[in-house]
Amino acid sequence: QSLHSQGLTYYNEHIYEGTGLEHQSHIFQHDPSDSMTTLRRIPLAPANFFGEGIAYYYIWANDGGDNMRKEHRLIQLTWKNKRGFIYSLNDGGNPKKNDSQSENSSHLKVIREFDYDTVTGEGWGITFLPHTNEFYISDGSHFLSVWDAESLDLKRKIPVKFERKVMVDGELTSESLDVDYINELEFVDFETGGDGTTDRDSGEEGVCSNDDTECNDDTSSPHKQSMRILANVWYQDLIISIHPETGEVERVYDFRDLYPIEQRQKDGADVLNGISLTGAMNGGSEDGVELWI
């Protein structure tokens, strides 16, 4: 069991967990097929940084010849340090047991650091949208920041709102409420039954020629109606389904019975904190999504 979980992501049949607290923040690589055995444990440096949300993503890069190669990466935010980290996942991430800290492995090596800012000045959750090549970032406010996945530049901010029906002077009317404390994020396409990163389960790098259109994800395509951002709300046992363009909360999932607060108090646990889609959903229905929380 790790400490102070802040985010989850999935790649090549493994769960990656980002944890927080100063001098205790790590990236863990777990094997869910083997009782969540920890395969790697990478400390965040500098040690006084507080780790936050993480996300798997990929880019297309030239291999030095005529081909483009898909490079698999993991991005990590920090809470108040305004510094992010990008790790390589290119060796497939299948270490031999008892050899999880091999110095020769390129897996989970920091390949880039970057500075950023948000509405609150904090980093909370992050998720990757491959069809637009964008990151969505939460910061504890009711806004989602959208970054370009290559330049990491801010493109826009989306307010997240929940509309409810209320009675005013005897008449039923709509009331729009800001949804604060948006935390961990996960992008899902409910039509295809996944998140658009089609080779999450393969661990393969992917190769194509420079003139192959498959090397270039279509970043001009609009969000399909089946695409949503799932988010948990800090200190609430809920996951909300957010429209990625309008920011409207369209559905609320109640997880109070998953890990009741009375049991959490006995176990010394705190709040549900982290979402990850593991491969494809069964049937591609919104009720069939397989999540780690």
Side-chain angles (χ1 to χ4, degrees):
Q1 182 177 3
S2 59
L3 299 174
H4 214 75
S5 298
Q6 295 297 311
L8 300 173
T9 195
Y10 177 81
Y11 166 66
N12 194 21
E13 302 181 352
H14 293 142
I15 294 287
Y16 292 81
E17 177 186 13
T19 66
L21 299 179
E22 294 180 0
H23 301 279
Q24 297 184 43
S25 296
H26 290 78
I27 298 290
F28 290 85
Q29 179 186 358
H30 304 300
D31 184 356
S33 69
D34 187 17
S35 303
M36 293 300 286
T37 298
T38 298
L39 304 178
R40 284 188 175 91
R41 179 175 179 269
I42 308 298
L44 179 61
N48 63 332
F49 278 18
F50 191 121
E52 274 285 348
I54 62 174
Y56 160 80
Y57 77 107
Y58 63 83
I59 65 167
W60 288 103
N62 191 289
D63 66 356
D66 296 329
N67 295 325
M68 299 291 286
R69 184 173 299 275
K70 185 175 285 189
E71 294 187 357
H72 303 280
R73 298 180 173 183
L74 184 146
I75 187 169
Q76 179 186 32
L77 302 179
T78 53
W79 182 28
K80 295 184 177 181
N81 307 104
K82 299 186 179 181
R83 176 72 58 85
F85 300 87
I86 295 175
Y87 301 80
S88 171
L89 297 178
N90 278 343
D91 70 357
N94 285 300
K96 298 178 181 178
K97 288 191 174 62
N98 302 321
D99 190 30
S100 60
Q101 308 295 332
S102 173
E103 295 294 331
N104 296 321
S105 174
S106 65
H107 199 71
L108 285 178
K109 293 287 188 181
V110 175
I111 57 176
R112 180 181 174 185
E113 298 184 18
F114 62 94
D115 297 320
Y116 64 88
D117 204 355
T118 62
V119 173
T120 64
E122 299 176 359
W124 285 38
I126 184 168
T127 191
F128 176 56
L129 278 65
H131 69 290
T132 58
N133 199 36
E134 294 174 330
F135 292 118
Y136 276 51
I137 292 89
S138 65
D139 57 20
S141 71
H142 69 280
F143 283 95
L144 296 178
S145 297
V146 182
W147 296 350
D148 180 87
E150 293 187 17
S151 68
L152 303 179
D153 290 336
L154 176 67
K155 298 177 68 174
R156 60 191 179 278
K157 299 174 184 175
I158 302 172
V160 178
K161 296 182 177 292
F162 178 75
E163 186 173 294
R164 67 176 182 178
K165 300 295 184 181
V166 295
M167 294 295 296
V168 178
D169 298 329
E171 294 186 3
L172 189 64
T173 186
S174 296
E175 180 182 46
S176 183
L177 302 175
D178 294 340
V179 182
D180 291 312
Y181 302 117
I182 299 170
N183 200 1
E184 174 72 344
L185 308 173
E186 181 77 359
F187 168 70
V188 179
D189 185 347
F190 288 108
E191 180 180 80
T192 63
D195 59 4
T197 53
T198 55
D199 59 352
R200 270 191 190 235
D201 289 307
S202 69
E204 298 178 358
E205 296 184 17
V207 180
C208 56
S209 62
N210 282 329
D211 58 357
D212 191 337
T213 56
E214 291 184 0
C215 286
N216 302 304
D217 296 307
D218 183 5
T219 59
S220 64
S221 64
H223 299 291
K224 294 186 297 183
Q225 183 57 32
S226 56
M227 294 177 174
R228 293 294 180 271
I229 305 293
L230 298 182
N232 73 336
V233 181
W234 191 44
Y235 271 102
Q236 296 190 39
D237 295 343
L238 304 172
I239 289 180
I240 57 177
S241 179
I242 305 169
H243 193 287
E245 286 185 311
T246 66
E248 180 183 355
V249 175
E250 298 183 331
R251 191 167 182 176
V252 179
Y253 301 88
D254 188 341
F255 285 93
R256 285 177 295 181
D257 294 334
L258 180 66
Y259 192 6
I261 188 169
E262 296 82 4
Q263 185 61 47
R264 295 205 301 266
Q265 290 173 342
K266 292 179 182 178
D267 296 341
D270 196 0
V271 297
L272 302 181
N273 196 10
I275 311 171
S276 182
L277 178 68
T278 57
M281 298 180 294
N282 295 323
S285 70
E286 192 162 352
D287 293 317
V289 63
E290 181 182 5
L291 297 170
W292 283 85
I293 304 173

